[in-house]
Amino acid sequence: MNSLQLGKRLDTTEQVVEEIMRIHRSLPPRPGLDEVEAATSLIQNVEKEDRAWLEAIANQRKPSDVPGELFSILQEMKKGLVRFKSKEQIREAAKLLDLETVHSLFDDFIQRASDCISSPSNGSAPPSRLPPRPPPTSLYLNEKTPARPKEMVSRDDSFVSEAKPSLYGDGFVATPRTPQVVDSTLTAGRFAGGNDGDKLSLIKLASLIEASSKKATKELNLQNKLSEQVEWLPDSIGKLSTLTSLDLSENHIVVLPNTIGGVSSLTNLDLRSNRITHLPESIGELINLVSLNLSGNQLSSLPSSFSRLLQLEELNLSCNNLPVLPESIGSLANLKKLDVETNDIEEIPYSIGGCSSLTELRADYNKLKALPEAIGKITTLEILSVRYNNIRQLPTTMSSLSSLKELDVSFNELESVPESLCFATALVKLNVGNNFADMVSLPRSIGNLEMLEELDISNNQIRVLPESFRMLTKLRVFRAQENPLQVPPREVAEKGPQAVVQYMNDLVEQRNAKSLVVKPKKSWVQMCFFSKSNKKKQSNMEIV
């Protein structure tokens, strides 16, 4: 109320004008058109977004070792927090709209004041040129706050179209121009990652979406740019129909709205390092997606609509809570890279064989007990990594993996390596080390892997290397520590892979040389016996 200065004496028209200008300047910066639209939309959609939020909480799985009542209390507290935050967001939006209403009202007062000055009734001359109003700061979070344009922005279209004179401008009276929309597009260079006050609130995010929709923005990078209070996205996200790349990684998002399916041109979606618990079925409407990163969330299932993402080439589901992969994964015939490491997956579905373009499959740190036989159908597979699982044996169909270059099955429970693996002759790296089932030997035909450059058999119970080991002439890395090696001796193994290859080669040559002994001549008794035998056969033939 101090800004009113009720006791201030005003004796002249110029003093009154100055006071009108001072009061107008005392208002907080006027919200932009996008912010007003966003606030209006947010208030209208808050109930729908609340339902999505509450549904996400209801779908959370209770850990097996947590009492049901305790988990129920946690869920109810989360729901209460949702309702409280929703009211806070509505309050923020309502405050912004109230500010816009006051600015619109003051626009009318300024217009009336301009009319009074342009045609004064008391005959007094208008004051000489007054200084233009300094531009207010913008609500948009840019590296450098942009200056507010001089033109007045109002929800009253007649104010703009009639072009009435204004108190503010280059002179005392000026004609307003067409209102402009402040550029709200975010780029990767903005927001250096300072304190949380430098990040987007829900209102400002909604405003940014409105501005980006109008500009037909192609790329939007919001990595680590949302405040902690932004745990869901406004429904207006679906307006970004021209967007091709969206990065929402490293925020605090818990749930995606159903309208996410409206971003139909999207080819790259990055949602890693959030707190997303489930995905809406509408995710399947993003049929142009080529890359989808969902790593580092809290997903426990995937929607059935995943099967519609037929253009998907890269899918990262690592670091979630997935117990299984859906059968629909086999529909992704264009998928090239699949990362599901660090989950709770016990079985890869047989349908994985339908991923006929797959070149890289990573399933480390899961609970796999075996690999499906269908893995052999993926002839394009180049990298297969299944470290830290419970796999006891490899499928014989791995002989069909003609493109396989890297195989890592370390830290499993392998009892042996099948001979069929040695038909995957493109292998360059093979790691079967640190298995916990006392693996005692390598396949006899391991020498068929003539392209092998790295081999790790460490921490097993292997005593003798097969003779065909001498064929691995390209081997440059050989790890065999913590094995009771006898052939070759430990001191040879410590000299490096080529020393081992040479030792095995020399060993085979020595054995071959010893086996080449001259056969003894037949004794005189044997010669006589064979001679009599032949004569008898001849006499029998004559009788016949």
Side-chain angles (χ1 to χ4, degrees):
M1 297 298 290
N2 292 336
S3 62
L4 294 179
Q5 299 182 4
L6 298 177
K8 185 177 181 178
R9 183 172 178 176
L10 304 173
D11 296 326
T12 65
T13 299
E14 184 170 343
Q15 289 176 338
V16 172
V17 170
E18 287 287 352
E19 184 65 10
I20 290 174
M21 295 172 64
R22 185 190 65 78
I23 293 175
H24 201 177
R25 285 194 298 265
S26 70
L27 286 178
R30 186 172 192 164
L33 288 176
D34 297 328
E35 289 178 303
V36 173
E37 292 179 11
T40 304
S41 175
L42 188 145
I43 291 176
Q44 293 173 347
N45 295 324
V46 68
E47 290 185 4
K48 183 188 298 184
E49 291 167 338
D50 270 4
R51 285 197 298 270
W53 228 109
L54 295 173
E55 183 181 351
I57 294 174
N59 289 336
Q60 290 179 337
R61 292 195 311 163
K62 183 185 76 67
S64 57
D65 56 346
V66 175
E69 178 66 16
L70 186 61
F71 189 72
S72 177
I73 292 172
L74 174 62
Q75 286 185 309
E76 291 302 319
M77 291 182 69
K78 285 183 177 181
K79 292 177 181 178
L81 185 61
V82 167
R83 298 185 183 98
F84 170 77
K85 288 186 176 181
S86 296
K87 291 180 180 179
E88 287 290 311
Q89 298 292 353
I90 292 175
R91 188 179 296 115
E92 182 183 353
K95 182 179 179 181
L96 187 145
L97 293 178
D98 287 344
L99 178 58
E100 172 61 21
T101 300
V102 173
H103 272 282
S104 297
L105 180 63
F106 275 33
D107 284 348
D108 184 59
F109 290 149
I110 293 295
Q111 183 60 56
R112 290 168 57 189
S114 297
D115 292 342
C116 290
I117 293 172
S118 60
S119 56
S121 60
N122 57 6
S124 59
S128 57
R129 295 173 64 88
L130 295 178
R133 178 189 181 191
T137 57
S138 170
L139 285 179
Y140 292 110
L141 296 174
N142 291 326
E143 290 178 346
K144 184 177 181 180
T145 305
R148 178 66 174 259
K150 294 178 181 179
E151 44 271 49
M152 307 296 292
V153 181
S154 172
R155 284 185 285 182
D156 182 2
D157 294 337
S158 63
F159 172 70
V160 177
S161 58
E162 292 176 9
K164 297 180 180 180
S166 169
L167 270 174
Y168 304 113
D170 296 332
F172 182 67
V173 178
T175 301
R177 305 182 185 92
T178 303
Q180 298 176 351
V181 178
V182 179
D183 182 4
S184 301
T185 303
L186 286 177
T187 60
R190 297 179 181 175
F191 299 98
N195 55 46
D196 198 56
D198 295 331
K199 297 184 179 182
L200 290 173
S201 66
L202 186 59
I203 288 291
K204 291 172 184 175
L205 172 60
S207 172
L208 172 62
I209 291 172
E210 295 289 344
S212 299
S213 174
K214 292 176 181 178
K215 292 179 59 181
T217 301
K218 296 290 186 182
E219 298 182 1
L220 194 56
N221 184 355
L222 295 172
Q223 180 182 2
N224 194 27
K225 292 180 175 67
L226 307 183
S227 68
E228 291 188 8
Q229 287 71 35
V230 179
E231 296 179 329
W232 46 272
L233 302 176
D235 278 356
S236 56
I237 191 75
K239 294 182 178 181
L240 302 177
S241 57
T242 61
L243 204 64
T244 59
S245 179
L246 177 59
D247 189 343
L248 289 164
S249 61
E250 299 179 18
N251 288 297
H252 303 272
I253 301 169
V254 175
V255 63
L256 297 177
N258 286 324
T259 55
I260 190 68
V263 196
S264 54
S265 299
L266 209 58
T267 60
N268 182 17
L269 177 57
D270 193 342
L271 293 165
R272 61 189 163 86
S273 301
N274 279 282
R275 296 183 293 176
I276 300 172
T277 57
H278 77 287
L279 298 173
E281 285 290 334
S282 59
I283 197 80
E285 297 173 19
L286 303 179
I287 57 175
N288 292 307
L289 266 186
V290 174
S291 175
L292 176 58
N293 193 336
L294 289 161
S295 63
N297 280 281
Q298 299 175 17
L299 294 172
S300 57
S301 64
L302 298 176
S304 59
S305 61
F306 240 66
S307 60
R308 299 174 59 189
L309 304 179
L310 300 180
Q311 300 302 316
L312 205 60
E313 295 182 5
E314 297 185 13
L315 176 59
N316 193 333
L317 296 167
S318 62
C319 301
N320 277 281
N321 301 320
L322 295 171
V324 294
L325 286 178
E327 290 288 337
S328 59
I329 198 76
S331 302
L332 308 181
N334 287 316
L335 195 63
K336 295 180 179 179
K337 294 184 179 180
L338 175 60
D339 190 341
V340 295
E341 69 175 26
T342 316
N343 279 279
D344 298 318
I345 299 173
E346 297 184 1
E347 182 180 2
I348 294 178
Y350 188 85
S351 63
I352 193 69
C355 299
S356 54
S357 300
L358 201 63
T359 61
E360 184 174 334
L361 173 57
R362 298 187 181 276
D364 307 327
Y365 297 95
N366 277 284
K367 299 178 180 179
L368 296 175
K369 297 179 180 179
L371 292 175
E373 293 286 331
I375 202 78
K377 295 182 179 181
I378 314 175
T379 56
T380 56
L381 196 62
E382 296 180 4
I383 299 175
L384 176 58
S385 185
V386 287
R387 298 178 302 150
Y388 291 94
N389 279 281
N390 303 317
I391 298 174
R392 293 184 177 275
Q393 61 182 8
L394 298 175
T396 56
T397 55
M398 294 191 71
S399 59
S400 302
L401 300 180
S402 56
S403 301
L404 192 63
K405 295 180 180 179
E406 298 183 21
L407 174 61
D408 193 338
V409 286
S410 59
F411 295 95
N412 276 278
E413 299 178 12
L414 284 182
E415 299 174 351
S416 62
V417 177
E419 292 286 339
S420 59
L421 179 62
C422 300
F423 289 95
T425 55
L427 264 178
V428 175
K429 297 181 180 180
L430 175 60
N431 190 343
V432 293
N434 294 279
N435 273 279
F436 307 113
D438 295 333
M439 184 191 298
V440 297
S441 64
L442 293 176
R444 296 179 60 186
S445 53
I446 194 171
N448 288 352
L449 306 178
E450 295 183 355
M451 303 299 294
L452 204 61
E453 296 181 7
E454 297 184 20
L455 175 60
D456 191 335
I457 63 169
S458 58
N459 201 19
N460 283 295
Q461 295 297 316
I462 298 173
R463 297 178 180 274
V464 178
L465 296 182
E467 292 184 358
S468 66
F469 199 94
R470 63 194 178 97
M471 306 295 292
L472 304 180
T473 56
K474 293 187 178 182
L475 198 65
R476 57 182 179 83
V477 176
F478 179 51
R479 298 184 181 93
Q481 59 270 25
E482 303 301 325
N483 275 283
L485 272 181
Q486 296 176 354
V487 179
R490 185 183 301 275
E491 57 270 17
V492 174
E494 291 174 352
K495 293 180 180 180
Q498 286 306 308
V500 174
V501 170
Q502 186 60 47
Y503 178 89
M504 297 304 297
N505 187 66
D506 294 344
L507 184 63
V508 172
E509 288 184 354
Q510 290 174 10
R511 288 180 178 175
N512 289 341
K514 291 181 180 179
S515 64
L516 294 177
V517 293
V518 180
K519 295 182 179 179
K521 294 182 179 180
K522 295 180 180 179
S523 65
W524 180 82
V525 175
Q526 289 176 322
M527 292 176 66
C528 292
F529 174 80
F530 287 120
S531 176
K532 292 179 180 179
S533 173
N534 290 336
K535 286 182 179 180
K536 186 175 182 180
K537 288 180 180 179
Q538 290 176 2
S539 60
N540 289 337
M541 290 173 64
E542 291 174 357
I543 294 172
V544 174

